[in-house]
Amino acid sequence: MPVKTRNEVVDLKQAVATKSPIRLRCPFANCRAGIIPYSSSTQLNVIENAPACVAIESPTSDPKLSSSTTEFYRIDDVWDFDNIGVSKPSEILPEPIIVGTNSQEGEQERIDVERLLICSECDRGPLGFAGIITGGEKDHRNLKYFLGQDSVVYDVK
Ligand SMILES: [Zn+2]
């Protein structure tokens, strides 16, 4: 299956505009399970102090754990995923992290990170993290998901 890293995809928005379907896939070469379709409405957030996730530099290299991942796709609805695994709830970071700005009130949105995202086929990762907006009810239905931009490969037709 020919896949690319994010750096090799010349222009994601252009690819979406030309109606080329893009699927984000597991970065591990012997897996490549479909994780989520990319669309023009996929939100990209810059997040500092996020948990370390794997990053992939070329389709032929192995993904490596990187603490410098700062760009994440935000997915609010777990049903948008084709496949995703989540770890059991635990305290992953001691403090909430800022994930963006609330569009209505213009306030910083913080989440308590309590899960790591893994590939549901091969159980490897982390590919991202999930958590609950600080102050929100600790219910798995309130989880917001963040997938590392360089933690996946891009399947562009
Ligand atoms: Zn996998």
Side-chain angles (χ1 to χ4, degrees), residues 36-73:
I36 194 168
Y38 178 90
S39 79
S40 55
S41 60
T42 304
Q43 275 189 61
L44 183 67
N45 292 37
V46 174
I47 301 173
E48 307 288 345
N49 307 314
C53 296
V54 297
I56 182 158
E57 285 176 5
S58 89
T60 53
S61 67
D62 284 331
K64 291 190 180 68
L65 200 60
S66 166
S67 56
S68 56
T69 308
T70 56
E71 292 181 289
F72 292 84
Y73 297 118

PDB file of all heavy atoms in Angstrom, residues 36-73:
ATOM      1  N   ILE A  36      -8.693   7.054  10.352  1.00  0.00           N
ATOM      2  CA  ILE A  36      -9.758   8.041  10.182  1.00  0.00           C
ATOM      3  C   ILE A  36      -9.613   8.674   8.803  1.00  0.00           C
ATOM      4  O   ILE A  36      -8.488   8.828   8.318  1.00  0.00           O
ATOM      5  CB  ILE A  36      -9.697   9.111  11.319  1.00  0.00           C
ATOM      6  CG1 ILE A  36     -10.970   9.946  11.371  1.00  0.00           C
ATOM      7  CG2 ILE A  36      -8.449   9.977  11.207  1.00  0.00           C
ATOM      8  CD1 ILE A  36     -11.099  10.817  12.620  1.00  0.00           C
ATOM      9  N   PRO A  37     -10.733   9.007   8.156  1.00  0.00           N
ATOM     10  CA  PRO A  37     -10.607   9.765   6.909  1.00  0.00           C
ATOM     11  C   PRO A  37     -10.261  11.218   7.237  1.00  0.00           C
ATOM     12  O   PRO A  37     -10.749  11.762   8.226  1.00  0.00           O
ATOM     13  CB  PRO A  37     -12.001   9.673   6.280  1.00  0.00           C
ATOM     14  CG  PRO A  37     -12.869   8.921   7.221  1.00  0.00           C
ATOM     15  CD  PRO A  37     -12.128   8.701   8.499  1.00  0.00           C
ATOM     16  N   TYR A  38      -9.421  11.813   6.400  1.00  0.00           N
ATOM     17  CA  TYR A  38      -9.114  13.239   6.557  1.00  0.00           C
ATOM     18  C   TYR A  38     -10.104  14.007   5.695  1.00  0.00           C
ATOM     19  O   TYR A  38     -10.394  13.609   4.571  1.00  0.00           O
ATOM     20  CB  TYR A  38      -7.681  13.516   6.077  1.00  0.00           C
ATOM     21  CG  TYR A  38      -7.305  14.977   6.159  1.00  0.00           C
ATOM     22  CD1 TYR A  38      -6.721  15.490   7.309  1.00  0.00           C
ATOM     23  CD2 TYR A  38      -7.550  15.821   5.087  1.00  0.00           C
ATOM     24  CE1 TYR A  38      -6.402  16.830   7.389  1.00  0.00           C
ATOM     25  CE2 TYR A  38      -7.233  17.164   5.160  1.00  0.00           C
ATOM     26  CZ  TYR A  38      -6.659  17.666   6.313  1.00  0.00           C
ATOM     27  OH  TYR A  38      -6.345  18.995   6.393  1.00  0.00           O
ATOM     28  N   SER A  39     -10.627  15.105   6.223  1.00  0.00           N
ATOM     29  CA  SER A  39     -11.530  15.923   5.410  1.00  0.00           C
ATOM     30  C   SER A  39     -11.205  17.387   5.614  1.00  0.00           C
ATOM     31  O   SER A  39     -10.400  17.742   6.475  1.00  0.00           O
ATOM     32  CB  SER A  39     -12.985  15.667   5.797  1.00  0.00           C
ATOM     33  OG  SER A  39     -13.288  16.374   6.978  1.00  0.00           O
ATOM     34  N   SER A  40     -11.854  18.225   4.833  1.00  0.00           N
ATOM     35  CA  SER A  40     -11.580  19.667   4.926  1.00  0.00           C
ATOM     36  C   SER A  40     -12.011  20.215   6.282  1.00  0.00           C
ATOM     37  O   SER A  40     -11.589  21.287   6.686  1.00  0.00           O
ATOM     38  CB  SER A  40     -12.300  20.413   3.811  1.00  0.00           C
ATOM     39  OG  SER A  40     -13.670  20.101   3.857  1.00  0.00           O
ATOM     40  N   SER A  41     -12.853  19.480   6.997  1.00  0.00           N
ATOM     41  CA  SER A  41     -13.277  19.986   8.306  1.00  0.00           C
ATOM     42  C   SER A  41     -12.407  19.442   9.448  1.00  0.00           C
ATOM     43  O   SER A  41     -12.647  19.754  10.614  1.00  0.00           O
ATOM     44  CB  SER A  41     -14.742  19.630   8.547  1.00  0.00           C
ATOM     45  OG  SER A  41     -14.892  18.231   8.511  1.00  0.00           O
ATOM     46  N   THR A  42     -11.398  18.647   9.116  1.00  0.00           N
ATOM     47  CA  THR A  42     -10.520  18.128  10.171  1.00  0.00           C
ATOM     48  C   THR A  42      -9.748  19.295  10.784  1.00  0.00           C
ATOM     49  O   THR A  42      -9.084  20.030  10.082  1.00  0.00           O
ATOM     50  CB  THR A  42      -9.546  17.081   9.591  1.00  0.00           C
ATOM     51  OG1 THR A  42     -10.301  16.050   8.941  1.00  0.00           O
ATOM     52  CG2 THR A  42      -8.690  16.465  10.679  1.00  0.00           C
ATOM     53  N   GLN A  43      -9.899  19.443  12.080  1.00  0.00           N
ATOM     54  CA  GLN A  43      -9.261  20.575  12.783  1.00  0.00           C
ATOM     55  C   GLN A  43      -7.840  20.232  13.187  1.00  0.00           C
ATOM     56  O   GLN A  43      -7.608  19.169  13.754  1.00  0.00           O
ATOM     57  CB  GLN A  43      -9.978  20.813  14.107  1.00  0.00           C
ATOM     58  CG  GLN A  43     -11.190  21.669  14.086  1.00  0.00           C
ATOM     59  CD  GLN A  43     -11.610  21.944  15.533  1.00  0.00           C
ATOM     60  OE1 GLN A  43     -10.871  22.526  16.314  1.00  0.00           O
ATOM     61  NE2 GLN A  43     -12.805  21.489  15.879  1.00  0.00           N
ATOM     62  N   LEU A  44      -6.925  21.165  12.960  1.00  0.00           N
ATOM     63  CA  LEU A  44      -5.547  20.982  13.403  1.00  0.00           C
ATOM     64  C   LEU A  44      -5.263  21.967  14.535  1.00  0.00           C
ATOM     65  O   LEU A  44      -5.504  23.157  14.395  1.00  0.00           O
ATOM     66  CB  LEU A  44      -4.586  21.229  12.233  1.00  0.00           C
ATOM     67  CG  LEU A  44      -3.116  20.999  12.544  1.00  0.00           C
ATOM     68  CD1 LEU A  44      -2.835  19.530  12.826  1.00  0.00           C
ATOM     69  CD2 LEU A  44      -2.253  21.484  11.382  1.00  0.00           C
ATOM     70  N   ASN A  45      -4.791  21.468  15.669  1.00  0.00           N
ATOM     71  CA  ASN A  45      -4.495  22.326  16.809  1.00  0.00           C
ATOM     72  C   ASN A  45      -3.024  22.211  17.189  1.00  0.00           C
ATOM     73  O   ASN A  45      -2.472  21.109  17.145  1.00  0.00           O
ATOM     74  CB  ASN A  45      -5.304  21.890  18.041  1.00  0.00           C
ATOM     75  CG  ASN A  45      -6.796  22.138  17.883  1.00  0.00           C
ATOM     76  OD1 ASN A  45      -7.344  21.987  16.812  1.00  0.00           O
ATOM     77  ND2 ASN A  45      -7.441  22.504  18.966  1.00  0.00           N
ATOM     78  N   VAL A  46      -2.423  23.332  17.549  1.00  0.00           N
ATOM     79  CA  VAL A  46      -1.061  23.306  18.073  1.00  0.00           C
ATOM     80  C   VAL A  46      -1.165  23.183  19.587  1.00  0.00           C
ATOM     81  O   VAL A  46      -1.840  23.991  20.237  1.00  0.00           O
ATOM     82  CB  VAL A  46      -0.291  24.582  17.684  1.00  0.00           C
ATOM     83  CG1 VAL A  46       1.075  24.606  18.360  1.00  0.00           C
ATOM     84  CG2 VAL A  46      -0.140  24.650  16.169  1.00  0.00           C
ATOM     85  N   ILE A  47      -0.565  22.148  20.140  1.00  0.00           N
ATOM     86  CA  ILE A  47      -0.692  21.867  21.574  1.00  0.00           C
ATOM     87  C   ILE A  47       0.694  21.678  22.157  1.00  0.00           C
ATOM     88  O   ILE A  47       1.455  20.810  21.725  1.00  0.00           O
ATOM     89  CB  ILE A  47      -1.551  20.601  21.798  1.00  0.00           C
ATOM     90  CG1 ILE A  47      -2.949  20.812  21.186  1.00  0.00           C
ATOM     91  CG2 ILE A  47      -1.645  20.279  23.292  1.00  0.00           C
ATOM     92  CD1 ILE A  47      -3.817  19.583  21.193  1.00  0.00           C
ATOM     93  N   GLU A  48       1.009  22.504  23.140  1.00  0.00           N
ATOM     94  CA  GLU A  48       2.297  22.390  23.824  1.00  0.00           C
ATOM     95  C   GLU A  48       2.152  21.418  24.999  1.00  0.00           C
ATOM     96  O   GLU A  48       1.068  21.261  25.548  1.00  0.00           O
ATOM     97  CB  GLU A  48       2.742  23.757  24.368  1.00  0.00           C
ATOM     98  CG  GLU A  48       2.766  24.882  23.338  1.00  0.00           C
ATOM     99  CD  GLU A  48       3.905  24.750  22.342  1.00  0.00           C
ATOM    100  OE1 GLU A  48       4.851  23.968  22.599  1.00  0.00           O
ATOM    101  OE2 GLU A  48       3.843  25.424  21.292  1.00  0.00           O
ATOM    102  N   ASN A  49       3.261  20.804  25.377  1.00  0.00           N
ATOM    103  CA  ASN A  49       3.306  19.933  26.553  1.00  0.00           C
ATOM    104  C   ASN A  49       2.389  18.720  26.459  1.00  0.00           C
ATOM    105  O   ASN A  49       1.891  18.220  27.468  1.00  0.00           O
ATOM    106  CB  ASN A  49       2.964  20.720  27.833  1.00  0.00           C
ATOM    107  CG  ASN A  49       3.831  21.946  27.978  1.00  0.00           C
ATOM    108  OD1 ASN A  49       5.046  21.882  27.791  1.00  0.00           O
ATOM    109  ND2 ASN A  49       3.225  23.091  28.266  1.00  0.00           N
ATOM    110  N   ALA A  50       2.153  18.285  25.232  1.00  0.00           N
ATOM    111  CA  ALA A  50       1.316  17.096  25.039  1.00  0.00           C
ATOM    112  C   ALA A  50       2.116  15.853  25.428  1.00  0.00           C
ATOM    113  O   ALA A  50       3.347  15.887  25.474  1.00  0.00           O
ATOM    114  CB  ALA A  50       0.871  17.016  23.584  1.00  0.00           C
ATOM    115  N   PRO A  51       1.427  14.743  25.704  1.00  0.00           N
ATOM    116  CA  PRO A  51       2.164  13.500  25.980  1.00  0.00           C
ATOM    117  C   PRO A  51       2.997  13.093  24.757  1.00  0.00           C
ATOM    118  O   PRO A  51       2.615  13.403  23.625  1.00  0.00           O
ATOM    119  CB  PRO A  51       1.052  12.474  26.211  1.00  0.00           C
ATOM    120  CG  PRO A  51      -0.201  13.239  26.398  1.00  0.00           C
ATOM    121  CD  PRO A  51      -0.023  14.564  25.739  1.00  0.00           C
ATOM    122  N   ALA A  52       4.112  12.423  24.992  1.00  0.00           N
ATOM    123  CA  ALA A  52       4.950  11.958  23.884  1.00  0.00           C
ATOM    124  C   ALA A  52       4.176  10.951  23.045  1.00  0.00           C
ATOM    125  O   ALA A  52       3.528  10.053  23.578  1.00  0.00           O
ATOM    126  CB  ALA A  52       6.219  11.324  24.434  1.00  0.00           C
ATOM    127  N   CYS A  53       4.265  11.125  21.727  1.00  0.00           N
ATOM    128  CA  CYS A  53       3.596  10.216  20.794  1.00  0.00           C
ATOM    129  C   CYS A  53       4.621   9.766  19.766  1.00  0.00           C
ATOM    130  O   CYS A  53       5.684  10.350  19.648  1.00  0.00           O
ATOM    131  CB  CYS A  53       2.459  10.946  20.068  1.00  0.00           C
ATOM    132  SG  CYS A  53       1.149  11.469  21.170  1.00  0.00           S
ATOM    133  N   VAL A  54       4.296   8.728  19.012  1.00  0.00           N
ATOM    134  CA  VAL A  54       5.229   8.322  17.974  1.00  0.00           C
ATOM    135  C   VAL A  54       5.134   9.294  16.800  1.00  0.00           C
ATOM    136  O   VAL A  54       4.096   9.901  16.553  1.00  0.00           O
ATOM    137  CB  VAL A  54       4.993   6.871  17.487  1.00  0.00           C
ATOM    138  CG1 VAL A  54       5.218   5.879  18.617  1.00  0.00           C
ATOM    139  CG2 VAL A  54       3.624   6.698  16.873  1.00  0.00           C
ATOM    140  N   ALA A  55       6.261   9.444  16.099  1.00  0.00           N
ATOM    141  CA  ALA A  55       6.299  10.263  14.891  1.00  0.00           C
ATOM    142  C   ALA A  55       7.028   9.469  13.826  1.00  0.00           C
ATOM    143  O   ALA A  55       7.925   8.683  14.136  1.00  0.00           O
ATOM    144  CB  ALA A  55       7.016  11.577  15.167  1.00  0.00           C
ATOM    145  N   ILE A  56       6.615   9.658  12.584  1.00  0.00           N
ATOM    146  CA  ILE A  56       7.236   8.928  11.488  1.00  0.00           C
ATOM    147  C   ILE A  56       7.851   9.921  10.504  1.00  0.00           C
ATOM    148  O   ILE A  56       7.229  10.921  10.162  1.00  0.00           O
ATOM    149  CB  ILE A  56       6.218   7.979  10.806  1.00  0.00           C
ATOM    150  CG1 ILE A  56       6.887   7.181   9.695  1.00  0.00           C
ATOM    151  CG2 ILE A  56       4.977   8.692  10.318  1.00  0.00           C
ATOM    152  CD1 ILE A  56       6.156   5.902   9.339  1.00  0.00           C
ATOM    153  N   GLU A  57       9.092   9.647  10.106  1.00  0.00           N
ATOM    154  CA  GLU A  57       9.798  10.582   9.217  1.00  0.00           C
ATOM    155  C   GLU A  57       9.743  10.158   7.756  1.00  0.00           C
ATOM    156  O   GLU A  57       9.757  11.003   6.873  1.00  0.00           O
ATOM    157  CB  GLU A  57      11.252  10.715   9.666  1.00  0.00           C
ATOM    158  CG  GLU A  57      11.362  11.569  10.910  1.00  0.00           C
ATOM    159  CD  GLU A  57      12.760  11.654  11.455  1.00  0.00           C
ATOM    160  OE1 GLU A  57      13.683  11.111  10.807  1.00  0.00           O
ATOM    161  OE2 GLU A  57      12.919  12.261  12.524  1.00  0.00           O
ATOM    162  N   SER A  58       9.735   8.872   7.511  1.00  0.00           N
ATOM    163  CA  SER A  58       9.590   8.434   6.120  1.00  0.00           C
ATOM    164  C   SER A  58       8.821   7.122   6.139  1.00  0.00           C
ATOM    165  O   SER A  58       8.840   6.395   7.142  1.00  0.00           O
ATOM    166  CB  SER A  58      10.955   8.265   5.455  1.00  0.00           C
ATOM    167  OG  SER A  58      11.422   6.963   5.671  1.00  0.00           O
ATOM    168  N   PRO A  59       8.134   6.794   5.043  1.00  0.00           N
ATOM    169  CA  PRO A  59       7.289   5.588   5.055  1.00  0.00           C
ATOM    170  C   PRO A  59       8.090   4.315   5.284  1.00  0.00           C
ATOM    171  O   PRO A  59       7.528   3.292   5.689  1.00  0.00           O
ATOM    172  CB  PRO A  59       6.657   5.584   3.663  1.00  0.00           C
ATOM    173  CG  PRO A  59       6.754   6.979   3.175  1.00  0.00           C
ATOM    174  CD  PRO A  59       7.993   7.547   3.792  1.00  0.00           C
ATOM    175  N   THR A  60       9.396   4.370   5.044  1.00  0.00           N
ATOM    176  CA  THR A  60      10.191   3.154   5.219  1.00  0.00           C
ATOM    177  C   THR A  60      10.870   3.089   6.583  1.00  0.00           C
ATOM    178  O   THR A  60      11.499   2.088   6.910  1.00  0.00           O
ATOM    179  CB  THR A  60      11.275   3.061   4.119  1.00  0.00           C
ATOM    180  OG1 THR A  60      12.006   4.279   4.112  1.00  0.00           O
ATOM    181  CG2 THR A  60      10.660   2.827   2.752  1.00  0.00           C
ATOM    182  N   SER A  61      10.769   4.154   7.368  1.00  0.00           N
ATOM    183  CA  SER A  61      11.396   4.128   8.690  1.00  0.00           C
ATOM    184  C   SER A  61      10.377   3.722   9.747  1.00  0.00           C
ATOM    185  O   SER A  61       9.171   3.803   9.528  1.00  0.00           O
ATOM    186  CB  SER A  61      12.004   5.492   9.028  1.00  0.00           C
ATOM    187  OG  SER A  61      10.979   6.443   9.189  1.00  0.00           O
ATOM    188  N   ASP A  62      10.879   3.293  10.881  1.00  0.00           N
ATOM    189  CA  ASP A  62       9.985   2.949  11.975  1.00  0.00           C
ATOM    190  C   ASP A  62       9.560   4.210  12.720  1.00  0.00           C
ATOM    191  O   ASP A  62      10.386   5.090  12.944  1.00  0.00           O
ATOM    192  CB  ASP A  62      10.705   2.031  12.969  1.00  0.00           C
ATOM    193  CG  ASP A  62      10.819   0.617  12.443  1.00  0.00           C
ATOM    194  OD1 ASP A  62       9.938   0.204  11.662  1.00  0.00           O
ATOM    195  OD2 ASP A  62      11.801  -0.055  12.789  1.00  0.00           O
ATOM    196  N   PRO A  63       8.316   4.283  13.124  1.00  0.00           N
ATOM    197  CA  PRO A  63       7.899   5.414  13.950  1.00  0.00           C
ATOM    198  C   PRO A  63       8.691   5.419  15.262  1.00  0.00           C
ATOM    199  O   PRO A  63       8.973   4.356  15.824  1.00  0.00           O
ATOM    200  CB  PRO A  63       6.423   5.148  14.210  1.00  0.00           C
ATOM    201  CG  PRO A  63       6.004   4.147  13.191  1.00  0.00           C
ATOM    202  CD  PRO A  63       7.222   3.346  12.870  1.00  0.00           C
ATOM    203  N   LYS A  64       9.046   6.605  15.720  1.00  0.00           N
ATOM    204  CA  LYS A  64       9.804   6.718  16.964  1.00  0.00           C
ATOM    205  C   LYS A  64       9.068   7.635  17.932  1.00  0.00           C
ATOM    206  O   LYS A  64       8.421   8.599  17.522  1.00  0.00           O
ATOM    207  CB  LYS A  64      11.179   7.333  16.671  1.00  0.00           C
ATOM    208  CG  LYS A  64      12.086   6.415  15.888  1.00  0.00           C
ATOM    209  CD  LYS A  64      13.509   6.996  15.854  1.00  0.00           C
ATOM    210  CE  LYS A  64      14.439   6.094  15.069  1.00  0.00           C
ATOM    211  NZ  LYS A  64      14.113   6.071  13.634  1.00  0.00           N
ATOM    212  N   LEU A  65       9.229   7.312  19.221  1.00  0.00           N
ATOM    213  CA  LEU A  65       8.603   8.144  20.238  1.00  0.00           C
ATOM    214  C   LEU A  65       9.235   9.541  20.213  1.00  0.00           C
ATOM    215  O   LEU A  65      10.458   9.669  20.170  1.00  0.00           O
ATOM    216  CB  LEU A  65       8.818   7.495  21.597  1.00  0.00           C
ATOM    217  CG  LEU A  65       7.862   7.940  22.705  1.00  0.00           C
ATOM    218  CD1 LEU A  65       6.407   7.634  22.340  1.00  0.00           C
ATOM    219  CD2 LEU A  65       8.227   7.247  24.007  1.00  0.00           C
ATOM    220  N   SER A  66       8.400  10.558  20.202  1.00  0.00           N
ATOM    221  CA  SER A  66       8.899  11.929  20.126  1.00  0.00           C
ATOM    222  C   SER A  66       8.157  12.796  21.134  1.00  0.00           C
ATOM    223  O   SER A  66       6.935  12.787  21.191  1.00  0.00           O
ATOM    224  CB  SER A  66       8.657  12.488  18.720  1.00  0.00           C
ATOM    225  OG  SER A  66       8.842  13.876  18.714  1.00  0.00           O
ATOM    226  N   SER A  67       8.915  13.542  21.926  1.00  0.00           N
ATOM    227  CA  SER A  67       8.252  14.428  22.890  1.00  0.00           C
ATOM    228  C   SER A  67       8.004  15.798  22.286  1.00  0.00           C
ATOM    229  O   SER A  67       7.494  16.692  22.953  1.00  0.00           O
ATOM    230  CB  SER A  67       9.094  14.549  24.155  1.00  0.00           C
ATOM    231  OG  SER A  67      10.377  14.998  23.794  1.00  0.00           O
ATOM    232  N   SER A  68       8.374  15.968  21.015  1.00  0.00           N
ATOM    233  CA  SER A  68       8.237  17.306  20.427  1.00  0.00           C
ATOM    234  C   SER A  68       7.022  17.416  19.512  1.00  0.00           C
ATOM    235  O   SER A  68       6.882  18.375  18.773  1.00  0.00           O
ATOM    236  CB  SER A  68       9.504  17.671  19.655  1.00  0.00           C
ATOM    237  OG  SER A  68       9.763  16.692  18.676  1.00  0.00           O
ATOM    238  N   THR A  69       6.128  16.437  19.569  1.00  0.00           N
ATOM    239  CA  THR A  69       4.917  16.525  18.743  1.00  0.00           C
ATOM    240  C   THR A  69       4.024  17.641  19.275  1.00  0.00           C
ATOM    241  O   THR A  69       3.648  17.626  20.446  1.00  0.00           O
ATOM    242  CB  THR A  69       4.160  15.181  18.780  1.00  0.00           C
ATOM    243  OG1 THR A  69       5.071  14.142  18.452  1.00  0.00           O
ATOM    244  CG2 THR A  69       3.005  15.156  17.809  1.00  0.00           C
ATOM    245  N   THR A  70       3.710  18.592  18.427  1.00  0.00           N
ATOM    246  CA  THR A  70       2.850  19.705  18.879  1.00  0.00           C
ATOM    247  C   THR A  70       1.606  19.881  18.020  1.00  0.00           C
ATOM    248  O   THR A  70       0.728  20.649  18.378  1.00  0.00           O
ATOM    249  CB  THR A  70       3.606  21.057  18.883  1.00  0.00           C
ATOM    250  OG1 THR A  70       4.115  21.276  17.569  1.00  0.00           O
ATOM    251  CG2 THR A  70       4.740  21.063  19.900  1.00  0.00           C
ATOM    252  N   GLU A  71       1.541  19.198  16.898  1.00  0.00           N
ATOM    253  CA  GLU A  71       0.387  19.421  16.034  1.00  0.00           C
ATOM    254  C   GLU A  71      -0.501  18.182  16.005  1.00  0.00           C
ATOM    255  O   GLU A  71      -0.044  17.087  15.680  1.00  0.00           O
ATOM    256  CB  GLU A  71       0.839  19.806  14.633  1.00  0.00           C
ATOM    257  CG  GLU A  71       1.495  21.179  14.676  1.00  0.00           C
ATOM    258  CD  GLU A  71       1.951  21.635  13.313  1.00  0.00           C
ATOM    259  OE1 GLU A  71       2.924  21.061  12.813  1.00  0.00           O
ATOM    260  OE2 GLU A  71       1.321  22.554  12.763  1.00  0.00           O
ATOM    261  N   PHE A  72      -1.735  18.408  16.362  1.00  0.00           N
ATOM    262  CA  PHE A  72      -2.679  17.309  16.544  1.00  0.00           C
ATOM    263  C   PHE A  72      -3.992  17.617  15.828  1.00  0.00           C
ATOM    264  O   PHE A  72      -4.462  18.751  15.844  1.00  0.00           O
ATOM    265  CB  PHE A  72      -2.987  17.113  18.036  1.00  0.00           C
ATOM    266  CG  PHE A  72      -1.814  16.605  18.829  1.00  0.00           C
ATOM    267  CD1 PHE A  72      -0.857  17.480  19.310  1.00  0.00           C
ATOM    268  CD2 PHE A  72      -1.664  15.252  19.083  1.00  0.00           C
ATOM    269  CE1 PHE A  72       0.248  17.013  20.033  1.00  0.00           C
ATOM    270  CE2 PHE A  72      -0.577  14.776  19.809  1.00  0.00           C
ATOM    271  CZ  PHE A  72       0.383  15.662  20.288  1.00  0.00           C
ATOM    272  N   TYR A  73      -4.576  16.588  15.233  1.00  0.00           N
ATOM    273  CA  TYR A  73      -5.934  16.715  14.718  1.00  0.00           C
ATOM    274  C   TYR A  73      -6.888  16.489  15.877  1.00  0.00           C
ATOM    275  O   TYR A  73      -6.722  15.549  16.651  1.00  0.00           O
ATOM    276  CB  TYR A  73      -6.207  15.667  13.637  1.00  0.00           C
ATOM    277  CG  TYR A  73      -5.321  15.825  12.432  1.00  0.00           C
ATOM    278  CD1 TYR A  73      -4.435  14.830  12.050  1.00  0.00           C
ATOM    279  CD2 TYR A  73      -5.380  16.993  11.676  1.00  0.00           C
ATOM    280  CE1 TYR A  73      -3.615  14.993  10.936  1.00  0.00           C
ATOM    281  CE2 TYR A  73      -4.566  17.168  10.563  1.00  0.00           C
ATOM    282  CZ  TYR A  73      -3.684  16.163  10.204  1.00  0.00           C
ATOM    283  OH  TYR A  73      -2.873  16.321   9.120  1.00  0.00           O
TER     284      TYR A  73
END
